[in-house]
Amino acid sequence: MTRSRLWFLPTLLAAGVACSGDPVATPTDPLDSELRAALAANGVAPLPPPPLQDANQVALGRLLMFDKILSGNKDIACATCHHPLTHSSDGLSLAVGTLGTGPVGSRQPASGRPFIPRNSPDLFNRGYHQFTRMFWDGRVEAVSGTLQTPAGAALLPGLSGPLAGQAMFPVLSRDEMRGQPGDTMPDGQPNELAAVGDSDFTGGWAALTARLMAIPSYVQKFQAAYPGVAVASFDFHHAANAIAAFESEAFVANQTAFDRYLAGDNSALSDSAKRGALVFYGRGRCGKCHSGGLMSNQNFENIAIPQLGPGKQADGLDHGRSGVTAVANEDFAFKAPPLRNVVLTGPWMHNGAYATLAAAIRHYSNPRLMLSEYDPTQLPGLLEPTVKNDPTTQAALVATIDTRVDTTINLTNAEVARIEAFFEALTDPASVDMSALVPDSVPSGLPVN
């Protein structure tokens, strides 16, 4: 299902005109000179086309993305948490894994099952080669061309890159997709994937591959995607590469109003959006981390986001990057996310702590104050009591806060509104309605959400 790049050309939004009715600057407006100087100083350039993908791999990856056959209980697909209807995320503060109930965008965890500890990140532009780190804590990353992952030496060879590496792990997570011992599938049969040991990465991937190879239609599609590979030689890295090819092809956001402005069209942004960009790259210091064409330096920063949910470590907290590296000064640090389509992908932050984009922006303006005054009522009811914002936790969070945000910028309401107008200009019109990506059916015959 390789689609023409013409798919990215419609102009369905009048991006960048959401704030205060400011007029669109003329081509000779001095505001453009000031903004273009700021963009040049920050090394910001338009995104090029993404790497081309093999059409047959894209077609296979699309089906795998939506097929619940990849979950132990056959009740959840990759797309459940990264759905086109919710702009490649799920619209929830914290994701809901296997046995969850409800439609996409409003799923609830099953009784006795936890929320997933983190917000489901969007997938936009992750196929670019510059994206070398995956997950909020970067536990899958390319270092000098070599993938480092939780599987260590057990990682299957032949993965196309970090995005394919990322696809290898949610299927093995018990809470996300694999399920617990004793779980059963919709037909009442036991979940055989759940019986595989937690440290047996290759056993888990082999069991998933066996499921796929038992479906004749998938065998044909794998052979079309990987001609010359014997059926007996297929393993899960082929599935992961196909999923990554689909994600790379489908979730591209490089035709925004901001990209048109970067390409030389001064009329692409409103005056409000331009002034918001000046705050973003100037006094607001946002561009220090959300930098370059991808609008992320892919580094890990602690900006003192309130803790909520079940936590990732044994103490009930989510220590972010330090949970991977054990480096003390990386405690509570999370990867700076890219910002194209940011207005479409709330709730915001690594745990969906903020329900509005304005509140997320204000957090950067004064993190210590926003942490101390955090209002849990903005969260869904089930998550309100999970907020851990006692003095001890607050002290731990600010102990390693990034010095670039540990200042009192105190953006004005007008500045926040202008940054929001700039963020509107980061929306790719083709990303607004992505319903055409959803297949009518998948080879397993399981229902497609």
Side-chain angles (χ1 to χ4, degrees):
M1 191 211 68
T2 301
R3 288 180 290 172
S4 165
R5 291 298 170 199
L6 294 176
W7 174 51
F8 300 111
L9 296 181
T11 52
L12 303 179
L13 292 178
V17 296
C19 175
S20 71
D22 289 336
V24 174
T26 66
T28 57
D29 195 316
L31 185 58
D32 290 306
S33 298
E34 184 180 1
L35 178 53
R36 293 199 178 279
L39 294 172
N42 284 273
V44 185
L47 279 179
L52 294 176
Q53 304 298 323
D54 178 88
N56 288 321
Q57 291 183 24
V58 170
L60 171 61
R62 180 191 184 213
L63 297 173
L64 292 170
M65 184 84 178
F66 289 88
D67 202 330
K68 296 174 182 176
I69 194 72
L70 295 187
S71 64
N73 297 322
K74 297 184 180 179
D75 68 334
I76 187 170
C78 302
T80 306
C81 294
H82 300 283
H83 205 283
L85 298 184
T86 43
H87 309 105
S88 79
S89 181
D90 61 6
L92 305 175
S93 290
L94 299 182
V96 173
T98 184
L99 299 185
T101 58
V104 171
S106 58
R107 281 167 50 82
Q108 299 285 317
S111 177
R113 298 292 170 106
F115 282 93
I116 306 304
R118 293 173 183 162
N119 176 266
S120 178
D122 70 86
L123 299 176
F124 292 111
N125 297 331
R126 297 311 197 277
Y128 280 85
H129 293 315
Q130 299 96 315
F131 268 111
T132 58
R133 289 168 158 171
M134 298 294 160
F135 295 107
W136 285 106
D137 56 15
R139 62 187 180 273
V140 169
E141 64 176 321
V143 179
S144 300
T146 300
L147 280 181
Q148 295 184 353
T149 78
L155 185 69
L156 299 177
L159 289 164
S160 59
L163 187 57
Q166 183 277 332
M168 299 289 285
F169 292 96
V171 293
L172 298 186
S173 168
R174 292 196 178 278
D175 290 333
E176 292 182 53
M177 296 183 71
R178 184 152 71 107
Q180 300 291 342
D183 284 355
T184 58
M185 293 181 280
D187 60 3
Q189 295 298 310
N191 174 350
E192 84 283 10
L193 296 177
V196 179
D198 288 346
S199 61
D200 187 1
F201 294 97
T202 55
W205 292 321
L208 283 164
T209 305
R211 280 189 177 186
L212 295 173
M213 293 299 103
I215 301 172
S217 178
Y218 267 131
V219 173
Q220 295 171 4
K221 294 181 186 302
F222 270 83
Q223 289 178 312
Y226 303 101
V229 178
V231 173
S233 296
F234 283 122
D235 62 35
F236 199 73
H237 98 270
H238 294 100
N241 284 348
I243 291 170
F246 169 70
E247 292 171 337
S248 298
E249 177 78 19
F251 299 111
V252 178
N254 65 355
Q255 296 293 328
T256 71
F258 186 50
D259 287 296
R260 296 199 301 276
Y261 185 83
L262 292 174
D265 181 2
N266 284 349
S267 67
L269 299 183
S270 72
D271 188 55
S272 293
K274 293 175 183 179
R275 294 187 184 280
L278 284 170
V279 178
F280 183 91
Y281 289 107
R283 195 171 87 81
R285 304 182 183 179
C286 317
K288 300 297 182 183
C289 297
H290 299 284
S291 57
L294 291 172
M295 305 196 77
S296 170
N297 62 7
Q298 293 192 77
N299 289 333
F300 305 92
E301 330 291 349
N302 174 14
I303 58 172
I305 298 299
Q307 288 274 315
L308 61 95
K312 192 79 171 173
Q313 279 75 40
D315 61 359
L317 301 178
D318 187 345
H319 289 264
R321 182 63 172 171
S322 71
V324 175
T325 65
V327 175
N329 65 7
E330 292 184 321
D331 210 14
F332 304 112
F334 296 87
K335 189 176 70 173
L339 296 181
R340 276 174 175 75
N341 286 338
V342 66
V343 300
L344 303 177
T345 56
W348 293 272
M349 305 302 183
H350 73 273
N351 54 9
Y354 287 110
T356 69
L357 198 50
I361 295 168
R362 288 192 178 95
H363 182 94
Y364 288 94
S365 180
N366 195 333
R368 289 177 184 256
L369 178 65
M370 292 292 286
L371 174 65
S372 65
E373 296 185 350
Y374 181 73
D375 179 11
T377 64
Q378 64 191 288
L379 295 168
L382 288 177
L383 288 178
E384 282 188 47
T386 72
V387 174
K388 306 172 186 70
N389 210 19
D390 56 276
T392 300
T393 302
Q394 288 187 31
L397 282 164
V398 300
T400 57
I401 191 171
D402 191 282
T403 56
R404 287 168 294 184
V405 299
D406 193 20
T407 56
T408 305
I409 299 173
N410 286 337
L411 296 172
T412 66
N413 289 338
E415 288 174 321
V416 171
R418 282 172 172 156
I419 291 176
E420 286 190 276
F422 174 53
F423 284 173
E424 289 282 352
L426 302 179
T427 303
D428 188 320
S431 303
V432 177
D433 181 0
M434 307 185 80
S435 57
L437 292 174
V438 184
D440 293 329
S441 62
V442 290
S444 71
L446 293 167
V448 176
N449 293 129

